[in-house]
């Protein structure tokens, strides 16, 4: 893999983690502020920032599945996978202590430790993907097999769930029936995240041509606005905020994430900021882990996105969370032992 691609991944990680913070800053407001002008701002930022986690999966797939990287099972399971498990439980314990400080509710504390804070779903999904890396590497060893796998997971993990959600706009009981049937097969989440993981490799190994890239850029550019308008329309129709169009499995999210991923990996060129992005990229996982703690702390001291006009304050608030989280991670990385858990 070229140096430009590695640098592109560094910069893309940084932009993606900032997008995660914007997403989390607006997510609760999307549910709480409907109907209001503030909700329109939350809907806007929710719609333009849903691509981030999908891109994280794509970057991981590109790095772990590339042919030039020799698979070391001992390192994979004893270092990469074990590290995720340790990080998950260490920080789950700290989050549980923070949430239940002064409260004696052992069962709730234990439950929170085992489940983890809400944003740790990503660590659990990443853990499952890492465990399956030997299988994925076998799949991508053949272009024909990889294409078949991508088509299958795209249909099972993106197309069918998107169609079911769309049906629900017009016929809620039928949508619930379809969801109940489809959920019994337990294929959606596995297919969705596997699709992102493998297509990250595919886009690097078999780059799209000029026409293909620009078609995807166009679809990716209109997707967040399609989601924003659709969410607004259905929310007005139902009289309540409607979130399914914002999920990772929705086809617009897949198009937006793919377009941004290809834009960075195809167009990014080395420059004077490469060293800065490389250093910041090393702290992205740490920022992901601690940013919710920083946001909770901000709320406790009276700083939250509803403090001012949301259309302006959400990005300012998110930048503040990013900077404080980054500084916090830098300090933690200087502490022995703790630096292995961030």
């Amino acid at each position: 893999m070229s140096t430009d691609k590695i640098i592109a991944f560094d910069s893309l990680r940084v932009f993606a983690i900032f997008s995660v913070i914007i997403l989390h800053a607006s997510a609760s407001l999307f549910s709480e502020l409907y109907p209001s002008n503030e909700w329109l701002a939350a809907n806007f930022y929710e719609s333009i920032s849903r691509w981030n986690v999908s891109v994280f999966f794509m970057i991981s797939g590109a790095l772990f599945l590339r042919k030039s990287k020799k698979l070391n099972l001992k390192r994979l399971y004893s270092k990469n996978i074990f590290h995720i498990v340790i990080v998950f439980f260490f920080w789950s314990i700290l989050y549980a202590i923070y949430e239940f400080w002064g409260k004696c509710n052992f069962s709730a504390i234990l439950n929170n430790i085992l489940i983890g804070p809400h944003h740790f779903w990503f660590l659990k999904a990443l853990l499952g993907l890492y465990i399956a890396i030997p299988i994925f590497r076998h799949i991508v060893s053949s272009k024909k097999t990889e294409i078949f796998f991508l088509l299958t997971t795209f249909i099972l993990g993106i197309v069918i769930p998107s169609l079911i959600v769309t049906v629900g706009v017009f016929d809620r009981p039928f949508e619930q029936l379809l969801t109940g049937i489809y959920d019994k097969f337990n294929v959606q989440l596995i297919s969705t995240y596997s699709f992102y993981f493998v297509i990250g490799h595919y886009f690097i190994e078999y780059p799209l041509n000029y026409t293909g890239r620009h078609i995807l850029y166009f679809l990716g550019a209109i997707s967040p606005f399609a989601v924003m308008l659709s969410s607004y329309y259905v929310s007005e129709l139902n009289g309540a905020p409607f979130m399914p169009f914002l999920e990772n499995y929705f086809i617009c999210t897949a198009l937006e994430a793919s377009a941004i991923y290809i834009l960075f990996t195809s167009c990014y060129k080395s420059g004077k900021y490469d060293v800065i992005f490389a250093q910041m990229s090393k702290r992205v996982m740490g920022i992901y882990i601690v940013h919710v703690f920083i946001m909770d702390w901000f709320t406790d001291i009276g700083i939250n996105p509803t403090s001012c006009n949301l259309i302006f304050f959400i990005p300012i608030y998110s930048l503040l969370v990013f900077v404080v989280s980054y500084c916090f991670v830098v300090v933690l990385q200087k502490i022995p032992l703790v630096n292995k858990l961030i």
Side-chain angles (χ1 to χ4, degrees):
M1 186 177 293
S2 68
T3 302
D4 281 347
K5 290 288 191 293
I6 299 298
I7 296 171
F9 286 155
D10 287 338
S11 60
L12 184 51
R13 284 193 191 97
V14 175
F15 283 104
I17 193 61
F18 183 67
S19 174
V20 167
I21 296 173
I22 289 178
L23 174 66
H24 288 164
S26 56
S28 60
L29 304 178
F30 185 90
S31 301
E32 295 171 2
L33 297 180
Y34 183 86
S36 67
N37 289 333
E38 288 78 9
W39 180 84
L40 296 177
N43 182 28
F44 171 74
Y45 285 114
E46 275 276 289
S47 300
I48 66 171
S49 62
R50 279 282 167 174
W51 55 271
N52 43 65
V53 173
S54 302
V55 163
F56 281 139
F57 288 137
M58 295 165 77
I59 293 173
S60 294
L63 293 174
F64 276 97
L65 302 180
R66 66 188 194 272
K67 293 179 180 178
S68 60
K69 182 180 178 66
K70 185 178 180 181
L71 180 62
N72 186 325
L73 285 177
K74 182 179 179 181
R75 178 183 173 86
L76 174 65
Y77 284 91
S78 64
K79 184 176 181 180
N80 300 107
I81 292 174
F82 184 69
H83 179 256
I84 293 177
V85 173
I86 296 300
V87 166
F88 177 90
F89 284 110
F90 176 79
W91 285 98
S92 289
I93 291 170
L94 293 185
Y95 269 101
I97 291 173
Y98 179 77
E99 181 174 351
F100 290 96
W101 185 260
K103 303 174 185 177
C104 297
N105 191 336
F106 179 76
S107 61
I109 293 173
L110 181 61
N111 183 67
N112 274 38
I113 291 173
L114 294 176
I115 295 176
H118 64 85
H119 65 302
F120 275 23
W121 71 267
F122 170 70
L123 295 181
K124 290 182 279 189
L126 196 62
L127 178 65
L129 292 171
Y130 277 16
I131 291 172
I133 281 175
I135 300 173
F136 290 138
R137 286 182 67 93
H138 180 71
I139 290 170
V140 303
S141 62
S142 163
K143 182 178 180 181
K144 185 179 294 186
T145 305
E146 186 172 7
I147 291 174
F148 177 78
F149 178 84
L150 287 172
L151 287 174
T152 303
T153 52
F154 181 68
I155 292 170
L156 294 177
I158 305 292
V159 175
I160 293 178
S162 297
L163 290 175
I164 291 175
V165 166
T166 305
V167 166
V169 174
F170 306 99
D171 192 334
R172 180 64 174 165
F174 186 50
E175 182 260 343
Q176 291 176 333
L177 173 64
L178 292 176
T179 300
I181 295 172
Y182 195 61
D183 285 351
K184 292 184 184 299
F185 293 94
N186 293 315
V187 297
Q188 179 190 315
L189 290 180
I190 297 173
S191 299
T192 303
Y193 303 142
S194 297
F195 169 78
Y196 287 127
F197 198 75
V198 174
I199 204 168
H201 166 269
Y202 185 87
F203 283 146
I204 299 299
E205 192 71 22
Y206 311 105
L208 295 180
N209 59 25
Y210 178 89
T211 302
R213 289 199 309 273
H214 283 77
I215 289 174
L216 192 53
Y217 293 157
F218 172 74
L219 294 175
I222 66 173
S223 288
F225 298 99
V227 168
M228 180 174 58
L229 293 174
S230 299
S231 296
Y232 172 78
Y233 171 76
V234 180
S235 296
E236 288 287 290
L237 198 65
N238 295 342
F242 187 80
M243 291 197 70
F245 291 148
L246 297 165
E247 297 292 346
N248 290 319
Y249 59 72
F250 196 63
I251 192 165
C252 288
T253 304
L255 291 171
E256 186 180 359
S258 298
I260 291 173
Y261 180 83
I262 290 177
L263 179 65
F264 270 77
T265 56
S266 300
C267 301
Y268 190 88
K269 302 298 180 184
S270 298
K272 59 183 179 179
Y273 300 111
D274 293 350
V275 175
I276 296 175
F277 280 127
Q279 290 301 314
M280 295 177 73
S281 178
K282 294 176 182 178
R283 277 115 191 185
V284 164
M285 179 58 82
I287 294 171
Y288 185 89
I289 290 168
V290 307
H291 80 277
V292 171
F293 167 74
I294 300 299
M295 293 173 73
D296 289 343
W297 177 57
F298 277 1
T299 299
D300 290 342
I301 63 175
I303 302 175
N304 59 72
T306 59
S307 300
C308 302
N309 186 304
L310 290 189
I311 197 68
F312 301 109
F313 194 67
I314 284 180
I316 295 172
Y317 171 84
S318 299
L319 181 61
L320 181 61
V321 172
F322 176 85
V323 171
V324 174
S325 298
Y326 183 86
C327 294
F328 187 36
V329 170
V330 169
V331 172
L332 291 176
Q333 288 182 334
K334 296 182 182 297
I335 302 174
L337 297 182
V338 175
N339 60 5
K340 306 295 184 184
L341 300 167
I342 194 69

